Amino acid sequence: MGSLPIVVCGSTTVHGGGGGCRWWRWCNNNNSTTKNSSGSDSDSCANSSAFVFFLVAFVCLASIGGIYCRLLIPPNVHITLSSLGCNEDNEGSWSIGVYYGDSPFNLKPIEDANVWRNKTAAWPVANPVVTCASASGASFPSNFVADPFLYVQGDILYLFFEAKNSITMQGDIGVARSTDKGATWEQLGVALDEDWHLSYPYVFDYNGNTYMMPEGSAKGDLRLYRAEKFPTEWKLEKIIMKKPLVDSFIIQHDGKYWLFGSDHSGIGAKKNGQLEIWYSNSPLGPWKPHKKNPIYNTDKSKGARNGGRPFLYDGHLYRAGQDCGETYGRRLRLFKIEALTPTEYKEVEVPLGLKESMKGRNAWNGARSHQLDVQQLSSGEWVAVMDGDRVPSGDVNRRFILGFASVLGVVILVILFGMLLGAVKGLVPLSWCPHNIGKRSDATFDWERSSLLSNRMRLFCSRLNRASSSLRARIKPKTCSGGFVLALIFLVTVVLMCTGVKYIYGGSGSQEAYPLNGQYSQFTLLTMTYDARLWNLKMYVKHYSRCSSVREIVVVWNKGQPPELSELDSAVPVRIRVEEQNSLNNRFKVDPLIKTRAVLELDDDIMMPCDDVERGFKVWREHPERIVGFYPRLADGNPLKYRAENHAREHNGYNMILTGAAFVDSKMAFEKYWSNEATSGREVVDKLFNCEDVLLNYLYANASSSSTVEYVKPAWAVDTSKFSGVAISRNTQTHYGLRSSCLQRFSEMYGSISSRKSEFHHRKDGWDV
């Protein structure tokens, strides 16, 4: 096998190991180590090629990770929701939405009902309507809200739900009230708080009293509470069963009361795949078990675990169950109960009638939904509440593990890269004894010298350290093939570094909507294009249709044969509005089919993150009377000149926003633009085929004495027309000259805007730096 390397131990030189030893050093000084006068060799290590290599690698990869984090990873929206709650939770980020329909099988989200809360702000209302921020804002900090149950009292809706307490990390039962059919909710506080975890607050009436039967399986029993002062004060009425049942409900059917629940504590019980039934003459018991118990003890994807309140429709009883196959609470399954007697039970699955969002994780319920409560109002309309989440169960742990694994992969590849370059001569020390510990006893010396394990370990380390030479001999870094291997290793290292940063720092990966005063809304995305830019349009629609708050995309088609809708990959409805005349004025044409107040006018060649779009939408909802956009301009000088963003920043202000990327009020902006007052301005736009956005800025400024524009800085934006070669304004100087001419003409028509300057960084959110 050959002799082992020499290991220097204290003042003793031992061939093949043994004795007091020092760490093997990555200091390549002719295979020897020289101590300084103080006995320290830190200077030689600091100057070694390995030390420099690892330092450079660390700085390089840290810079790449930082740039990737800054430019491509959106911030965690939940940080902005509440200073108390909404912390990242391994159970998820559940929230609650409202649905309407003429039957339980034709339910549509609240945004489709076009419910408006306040026409002076940015509505209609969109799901989710109750979130962790809703509860936390009412002084009971919550990481998420889930398990919703309705209680209907005339025209008032009460909502009971689990609120995961951010301090105790256990579930409490919260309650909220709505007087507008669920569009807005007043948080009333905590209805029930025990020393153990509570969830699934099933509320029902019996003999003139209102009862709540929450899940409290952590206590080991099933408890029934009676309302003493509805809806916030409850008293324990009875322990109806000494079994740790989860997600239980009581219904009346054929003269009996039936209790459905799951006991996961029994021997052989399959978690989330077990269901049992009991029956009684009263909700207070005593309860008798069904002859066929357990009704289910099967795969967790089969819907055995209850998923909300059962309901009666057209004489048939229906039960919702949870499919927990891929992750806990992945989706709901609906079953029609065909037989329910003390000896028989039969149910068949029926379609739920709810479509999953195509927006994926960007939808509030894009990853999972596990509870439904649907009830009929006195008007005959059906209303439902459902919970949803953007991320699967255990997402926090999963991201940490994947992020740690990615970083570990980076370390391994960096060492491998260093070995191929020759900067790293070895991997491990030839001995595992601390450096400079002095002489040891003869007994220890003899054990280490005679130990088979010790010899084999030193032999293994020695061979492993020789791997760098072997690798260099095989790959030959100075050859073309060796250079390719080095480049490939570097590329994989960068990818793993960015992946690790994404998993550890980047949150769940969903780009969420930003609420205003605890409420969400949606907007219409409008773009103007023609046949030569179809490539841009396809990429544009695919990307922006996945943004959380986009409700519809309207394509203003100015010229050529429009595409078929089937050619566009969209997660939201797309409407192509074909124009008879190729005019830039078409961008602001009054469109009665637009259902939202907010419209994002966005050129089809601008690509930016959904998070930037959502931030702009939030700012516009704060200032719906303004043009809120992403590209500021400054018109100044005598005569007036159209200036770029750099000039605006040099003069710390802007007085125009490009409407090629801006939010406007669909009613106010379009009516202004097509008013008689703007006729002359529209003629200038048609004549020059330019300046439609300049005109709109003037019309806004002419109608108000206050600020009319607001800037939001995007993290990054890409002009895709540079790749397709169909940019409208290729000659910047000519383009700016035309727009300066427009400034002068519009100033004569509507008055100057040079004094209407808004400063950068005047808002507290820091999004206008």
Side-chain angles (χ1 to χ4, degrees):
M1 291 185 180
S3 61
L4 292 174
I6 296 176
V7 181
V8 180
C9 305
S11 59
T12 307
T13 302
V14 181
H15 293 265
C21 56
R22 71 178 64 183
W23 288 106
W24 177 88
R25 300 172 183 79
W26 282 338
C27 306
N28 184 24
N29 296 321
N30 297 322
N31 294 324
S32 63
T33 305
T34 304
K35 289 187 177 183
N36 57 25
S37 58
S38 63
S40 171
D41 50 14
S42 60
D43 291 341
S44 60
C45 281
N47 295 325
S48 70
S49 60
F51 180 84
V52 173
F53 169 76
F54 284 118
L55 179 63
V56 171
F58 172 78
V59 172
C60 179
L61 291 172
S63 300
I64 292 173
I67 294 172
Y68 175 79
C69 178
R70 172 67 179 85
L71 297 180
L72 297 179
I73 296 181
N76 189 342
V77 175
H78 279 279
I79 294 175
T80 68
L81 294 181
S82 172
S83 59
L84 298 174
C86 296
N87 300 315
E88 201 170 40
D89 197 293
N90 204 45
E91 288 191 71
S93 56
W94 295 93
S95 52
I96 299 170
V98 171
Y99 293 76
Y100 301 119
D102 54 11
S103 83
F105 299 96
N106 187 31
L107 296 172
K108 295 182 179 180
I110 192 172
E111 48 264 31
D112 287 0
N114 220 39
V115 177
W116 292 71
R117 176 196 179 206
N118 184 344
K119 293 187 178 181
T120 63
W123 303 104
V125 177
N127 280 329
V129 295
V130 179
T131 67
C132 60
S134 308
S136 299
S139 299
F140 53 109
S142 304
N143 286 354
F144 62 79
V145 293
D147 293 2
F149 280 100
L150 284 173
Y151 183 86
V152 181
Q153 197 175 71
D155 294 331
I156 301 177
L157 299 180
Y158 290 93
L159 178 69
F160 293 87
F161 53 90
E162 173 196 351
K164 175 73 174 288
N165 192 296
S166 303
I167 300 173
T168 64
M169 297 303 288
Q170 70 180 23
D172 301 326
I173 304 303
V175 60
R177 176 175 56 200
S178 175
T179 58
D180 52 10
K181 294 170 56 178
T184 58
W185 294 89
E186 176 192 2
Q187 297 295 322
L188 302 179
V190 175
L192 187 62
D193 179 12
E194 296 283 18
D195 293 333
W196 55 90
H197 176 84
L198 297 174
S199 63
Y200 206 84
Y202 184 74
V203 180
F204 64 97
D205 288 332
Y206 173 67
N207 279 355
N209 291 312
T210 302
Y211 293 92
M212 180 197 299
M213 186 176 66
E215 179 203 321
S217 58
K219 185 64 174 175
D221 52 32
L222 183 62
R223 301 186 170 210
L224 195 64
Y225 296 81
R226 178 173 50 83
E228 288 197 322
K229 187 176 180 181
F230 185 87
T232 56
E233 294 183 14
W234 300 77
K235 181 180 180 180
L236 177 63
E237 182 76 4
K238 186 178 182 181
I239 298 176
I240 61 175
M241 190 169 293
K242 293 185 177 181
K243 289 173 71 71
L245 294 183
V246 298
D247 296 358
S248 305
F249 63 73
I250 296 175
I251 58 169
Q252 188 177 17
H253 181 71
D254 285 347
K256 289 184 174 60
Y257 286 88
W258 302 86
L259 170 62
F260 286 62
S262 300
D263 180 7
H264 297 155
S265 65
I267 298 175
K270 296 184 178 180
K271 187 175 182 180
N272 299 325
Q274 196 255 22
L275 177 67
E276 296 180 74
I277 300 176
W278 293 264
Y279 60 95
S280 174
N281 293 324
S282 164
L284 302 179
W287 295 94
K288 298 178 181 179
H290 194 280
K291 182 180 179 181
K292 292 189 175 181
N293 273 350
I295 301 301
Y296 290 120
N297 192 26
T298 183
D299 185 83
K300 58 186 177 181
S301 66
K302 301 301 182 181
R305 182 169 178 171
N306 292 322
R309 186 190 303 272
F311 61 88
L312 192 67
Y313 182 69
D314 279 351
H316 297 288
L317 187 62
Y318 295 88
R319 183 187 73 89
Q322 299 182 39
D323 177 352
C324 299
E326 299 175 23
T327 181
Y328 169 69
R330 170 61 186 92
R331 66 185 180 98
L332 282 168
R333 302 177 68 173
L334 191 64
F335 303 91
K336 182 171 71 172
I337 299 176
E338 296 189 334
L340 177 56
T341 70
T343 58
E344 293 294 328
Y345 182 77
K346 181 182 178 182
E347 64 181 15
V348 294
E349 186 170 7
V350 295
L352 183 61
L354 288 172
K355 294 182 179 178
E356 291 191 11
S357 173
M358 293 177 63
K359 294 187 178 183
R361 281 187 150 188
N362 287 357
W364 71 278
N365 58 349
R368 51 185 178 156
S369 184
H370 79 340
Q371 183 158 318
L372 170 72
D373 185 5
V374 54
Q375 298 190 37
Q376 190 171 23
L377 303 177
S378 58
S379 62
E381 184 180 20
W382 290 79
V383 62
V385 287
M386 180 183 292
D387 57 11
D389 196 358
R390 284 185 166 88
V391 297
S393 178
D395 185 69
V396 176
N397 287 346
R398 172 183 168 273
R399 288 190 285 107
F400 175 79
I401 292 171
L402 291 176
F404 179 80
S406 298
V407 172
L408 183 61
V410 168
V411 173
I412 293 173
L413 289 176
V414 166
I415 293 174
L416 178 61
F417 197 84
M419 291 171 65
L420 292 176
L421 289 180
V424 178
K425 300 296 184 181
L427 295 177
V428 293
L430 294 181
S431 179
W432 46 92
C433 308
H435 166 58
N436 205 23
I437 63 171
K439 294 183 179 180
R440 290 173 293 169
S441 66
D442 292 338
T444 304
F445 179 87
D446 291 339
W447 175 88
E448 186 173 295
R449 183 173 56 184
S450 62
S451 171
L452 180 62
L453 175 62
S454 175
N455 288 333
R456 287 185 175 180
M457 284 294 297
R458 282 196 298 274
L459 179 61
F460 172 77
C461 294
S462 178
R463 289 177 174 176
L464 195 59
N465 285 340
R466 290 200 295 267
S468 59
S469 301
S470 177
L471 278 174
R472 286 177 55 82
R474 288 174 178 272
I475 296 178
K476 300 177 181 178
K478 294 184 179 181
T479 64
C480 292
S481 60
F484 174 78
V485 171
L486 286 174
L488 182 62
I489 293 174
F490 178 77
L491 180 62
V492 173
T493 303
V494 170
V495 171
L496 280 179
M497 183 68 187
C498 294
T499 302
V501 170
K502 178 181 178 182
Y503 281 123
I504 294 173
Y505 173 80
S508 66
S510 62
Q511 296 189 333
E512 306 175 29
Y514 285 80
L516 178 64
N517 299 325
Q519 290 287 326
Y520 294 85
S521 184
Q522 291 184 320
F523 61 87
T524 299
L525 182 62
L526 187 146
T527 189
M528 187 169 60
T529 190
Y530 61 102
D531 52 359
R533 299 165 67 91
L534 183 58
W535 177 81
N536 288 69
L537 180 64
K538 288 182 177 180
M539 183 167 56
Y540 176 98
V541 168
K542 183 176 182 179
H543 172 65
Y544 288 114
S545 69
R546 270 72 180 176
C547 296
S548 298
S549 301
V550 175
R551 176 172 180 172
E552 179 190 26
I553 297 177
V554 176
V555 180
V556 179
W557 196 263
N558 262 3
K559 186 177 68 173
Q561 181 66 32
E564 297 292 333
L565 291 179
S566 58
E567 298 181 54
L568 304 175
D569 179 7
S570 179
V572 300
V574 178
R575 177 164 56 92
I576 299 178
R577 197 177 78 200
V578 181
E579 302 292 348
E580 296 180 359
Q581 179 185 354
N582 185 11
S583 169
L584 295 181
N585 290 320
N586 293 332
R587 179 193 292 273
F588 304 118
K589 183 177 288 186
V590 176
D591 189 340
L593 296 181
I594 292 177
K595 296 182 176 64
T596 63
R597 181 175 175 186
V599 169
L600 173 58
E601 296 271 359
L602 185 63
D603 288 345
D604 64 333
D605 54 10
I606 295 178
M607 298 295 290
M608 65 176 68
C610 286
D611 185 69
D612 288 337
V613 173
E614 296 293 345
R615 286 190 290 133
F617 184 39
K618 182 178 186 295
V619 173
W620 180 83
R621 294 171 71 193
E622 296 169 351
H623 308 284
E625 76 286 353
R626 302 179 186 178
I627 301 174
V628 177
F630 304 94
Y631 293 96
R633 296 290 185 265
L634 180 62
D636 63 359
N638 190 14
L640 275 176
K641 287 188 177 182
Y642 180 84
R643 308 281 192 169
E645 182 176 340
N646 288 339
H647 179 84
R649 291 191 176 279
E650 288 176 3
H651 291 77
N652 192 32
Y654 56 95
N655 50 23
M656 290 178 57
I657 291 291
L658 291 190
T659 58
F663 285 93
V664 296
D665 183 320
S666 60
K667 183 176 177 61
M668 180 173 72
F670 296 168
E671 289 182 356
K672 281 181 185 296
Y673 197 88
W674 285 92
S675 64
N676 292 331
E677 178 190 17
T679 302
S680 299
R682 294 197 304 272
E683 291 174 354
V684 172
V685 171
D686 277 337
K687 181 179 179 180
L688 300 177
F689 206 79
N690 207 322
C691 302
E692 80 285 358
D693 53 342
V694 179
L695 173 58
L696 188 65
N697 275 269
Y698 267 89
L699 294 174
Y700 262 74
N702 187 50
S704 174
S705 58
S706 61
S707 176
T708 57
V709 291
E710 200 72 37
Y711 166 64
V712 178
K713 183 180 180 180
W716 56 265
V718 177
D719 182 357
T720 59
S721 66
K722 305 297 184 183
F723 305 104
S724 60
V726 289
I728 294 177
S729 306
R730 298 182 183 181
N731 190 320
T732 303
Q733 294 300 321
T734 302
H735 177 65
Y736 276 40
L738 277 175
R739 295 169 82 78
S740 294
S741 176
C742 291
L743 288 174
Q744 297 168 29
R745 298 180 69 171
F746 292 154
S747 292
E748 295 172 1
M749 297 177 186
Y750 309 110
S752 177
I753 62 171
S754 58
S755 60
R756 298 288 193 91
K757 190 169 78 169
S758 299
E759 294 185 353
F760 293 97
H761 202 30
H762 69 274
R763 291 199 314 270
K764 294 182 179 180
D765 55 32
W767 295 342
D768 61 338
V769 293

